[in-house]
Amino acid sequence: MIHAWSPVSPCGPGCLPKPGSLRRAGAHRVVLRLTGAAGLMLLGVGLAVVLAVLRGPLRTVLVKSWFRALLRAFGVRFVVRGERSADGGLVVTNHVSWLDVVALMAVHPMRLLAKTELRSWPVVGPLAARVGTLYIDRHRLSALPEAVRTVADALREGSLVGAFPEGTTWCGLASGTYRPAVFQAAVDAGVPVRPVALRFTTASGAPTTVAAFVGEATLLESVLAVARVRGLVVELSVLPELDAAAIGDRRELARRAERAVAAITEPDGPEEPHLAEPRRVAA
């Protein structure tokens, strides 16, 4: 059943690039990318087992390294802007692709608030579980209050929790309204909200929707689309944090976070806030 916690994105196949509009990787390169990704998946199975018993900084390094390697395997260049913090808090970002999860985890492993379907994703699902992913059934409105309490408890414990408040994927050129529910967890826990903006561009810097996981596309179809494109860049911008305790209102927090992210992601949006020079993390 569709309800307020189960928003529907209008983005679909019509939002994706037209055939021939992007540079495509040669067949041999696509094969190499998929082979490399498959090898990492096999390695990830063993990593998921290791993470069950491993603690401390080495655990963080291994998780980040695996996700960065996955970006490299697909030929994706990864650029991070802004000052990162490993302290606890609520990270909120726009939702475009399965690559969003990869990019966030490549910067710093965090506990994601994710849809239950993530459990079934090959290797990424088990790895996400090992780092403490929190799941929400978006088709059950009755599950929402308990999810908010669970997130608040994790935040009180000092965890870094990531969430996609749009509730579903958009194409990246268009975006959805940030739902306020998850921001209540930050208010209850008295922790900062850290907006993050994700942009997907070509090598020339032009925005692209090629990585968008929208419409009726399967995960495999979306993975193949990423593997076939040349020069895909993922830009992750860490924006100034919002003081949830001082603001105190979940709807105002949602509005401010949404505006901050839109300033980066919308081509005709307002001027970008000042950020540090980009750092190339993976190529």
Side-chain angles (χ1 to χ4, degrees):
M1 181 175 66
I2 302 300
H3 48 66
W5 183 245
S6 182
V8 177
S9 168
C11 297
C15 299
L16 300 177
K18 295 179 180 179
S21 63
L22 295 177
R23 298 174 62 198
R24 292 176 64 89
H28 69 288
R29 188 176 296 274
V30 174
V31 171
L32 286 174
R33 288 177 176 179
L34 294 175
T35 301
L40 279 170
M41 291 296 177
L42 292 175
L43 180 62
V45 173
L47 179 58
V49 174
V50 171
L51 293 180
V53 296
L54 189 64
R55 297 291 183 270
L58 180 57
R59 176 189 174 98
T60 298
V61 170
L62 287 175
V63 174
K64 287 170 59 175
S65 297
W66 189 88
F67 281 100
R68 291 180 184 183
L70 189 60
L71 290 170
R72 287 195 296 270
F74 279 103
V76 176
R77 187 162 67 91
F78 187 33
V79 175
V80 180
R81 301 175 184 270
E83 295 303 320
R84 293 168 284 176
S85 172
D87 296 335
L90 179 66
V91 174
V92 293
T93 186
N94 55 311
H95 202 7
V96 178
S97 170
W98 54 274
L99 280 172
D100 302 347
V101 174
V102 180
L104 287 174
M105 300 295 271
V107 172
H108 195 282
M110 64 185 68
R111 303 184 68 178
L112 294 173
L113 178 62
K115 59 185 181 180
T116 53
E117 289 88 336
L118 181 63
R119 296 179 192 266
S120 63
W121 286 15
V123 183
V124 172
L127 281 176
R130 293 300 185 191
V131 295
T133 294
L134 308 168
Y135 294 102
I136 175 68
D137 185 348
R138 297 189 186 278
H139 300 292
R140 290 180 54 238
L141 185 59
S142 60
L144 179 56
E146 180 61 30
V148 172
R149 285 193 292 270
T150 300
V151 173
D153 288 342
L155 293 171
R156 290 189 188 98
E157 295 168 358
S159 295
L160 188 64
V161 178
F164 302 102
E166 288 167 300
T168 189
T169 51
W170 290 64
C171 70
L173 300 184
S175 57
T177 300
Y178 279 21
R179 307 285 163 150
V182 72
F183 293 88
Q184 185 62 48
V187 172
D188 293 344
V191 300
V193 173
R194 297 193 175 94
V196 166
L198 288 167
R199 290 182 72 236
F200 293 82
T201 73
T202 62
S204 66
T208 180
T209 61
V210 68
F213 187 17
V214 293
E216 300 300 319
T218 65
L219 178 60
L220 177 59
E221 289 170 340
S222 184
V223 166
L224 289 175
V226 170
R228 289 170 178 154
V229 70
R230 291 185 65 182
L232 181 61
V233 180
V234 179
E235 297 181 358
L236 185 152
S237 298
V238 182
L239 307 178
E241 67 179 37
L242 303 172
D243 189 339
I247 296 171
D249 180 77
R250 64 184 183 178
R251 289 179 176 81
E252 181 61 21
L253 281 167
R255 283 192 292 267
R256 292 192 190 187
E258 181 183 332
R259 287 198 299 265
V261 173
I264 301 294
T265 60
E266 293 183 4
D268 298 322
E271 183 180 354
E272 294 185 5
H274 176 73
L275 296 170
E277 288 300 312
R279 294 188 293 275
R280 180 170 171 167
V281 178

